Amino acid sequence: MPPVIHDHARARLVTDARDLPVVPVELRFDSAETPATVRVAYPGGTEWAVERELLERGLRYPVEQDGWRIWPCGRVQVVVERHDAGGVDVVQFDCAPLVRFLRRTHHEAEAPRPAAART
């Protein structure tokens, strides 16, 4: 069975408020999904599905694809903007937790698995 990788991070919801509210999110990657997709689950049941490769590129330089805009914000943060029929959502993540999670998705998902023991 392909591995499903979970991790936790915090996201800042970008609004017009003076202080950006911070919410916990769950990062999830199922190596069986094609294309390789990272799921970001927010409190209350909202979930985003963004292609892993797009997220990785957005950590280094601005990218835009299929309603997503992702760009580095300084040296330690990344902004993810999602456009859909309901409007626009913008969140800001610290890069370090995302980079660690994305590395795990490559290392753990691509690591060889031992064959099942035969009886």
Side-chain angles (χ1 to χ4, degrees), residues 1 10 13 19 26 40 51 58 65 74-75 86 89-90 93 106-107 115-116 119:
M1 172 185 273
R10 296 182 323 171
L13 304 177
D19 294 317
E26 179 187 16
V40 182
E51 288 184 30
Q65 176 183 313
R75 294 178 5 178
D89 295 308
V90 183
F93 292 95
H106 286 285
H107 293 293
T119 56

Side-chain angles (χ1 to χ4, degrees), residues 19-106:
D19 294 317
L20 301 181
V22 177
V23 296
V25 297
E26 179 187 16
L27 304 172
R28 190 171 61 251
F29 177 80
D30 182 345
S31 61
E33 284 190 280
T34 303
T37 302
V38 171
R39 298 198 176 271
V40 182
Y42 294 90
T46 300
E47 184 174 287
W48 292 359
V50 59
E51 288 184 30
R52 176 176 65 177
E53 187 266 335
L54 183 67
L55 188 55
E56 290 172 331
R57 286 189 294 134
L59 286 164
R60 294 186 305 271
Y61 51 86
V63 295
E64 185 173 353
Q65 176 183 313
D66 300 329
W68 293 95
R69 288 184 178 167
I70 305 170
W71 66 92
C73 180
R75 294 178 5 178
V76 297
Q77 295 175 327
V78 64
V79 175
V80 179
E81 182 177 309
R82 179 178 159 266
H83 296 252
D84 67 8
V88 178
D89 295 308
V90 183
V91 296
Q92 185 178 44
F93 292 95
D94 290 337
C95 291
L98 284 180
V99 168
R100 281 192 302 269
F101 174 75
L102 291 168
R103 283 184 183 149
R104 282 185 61 208
T105 68
H106 286 285

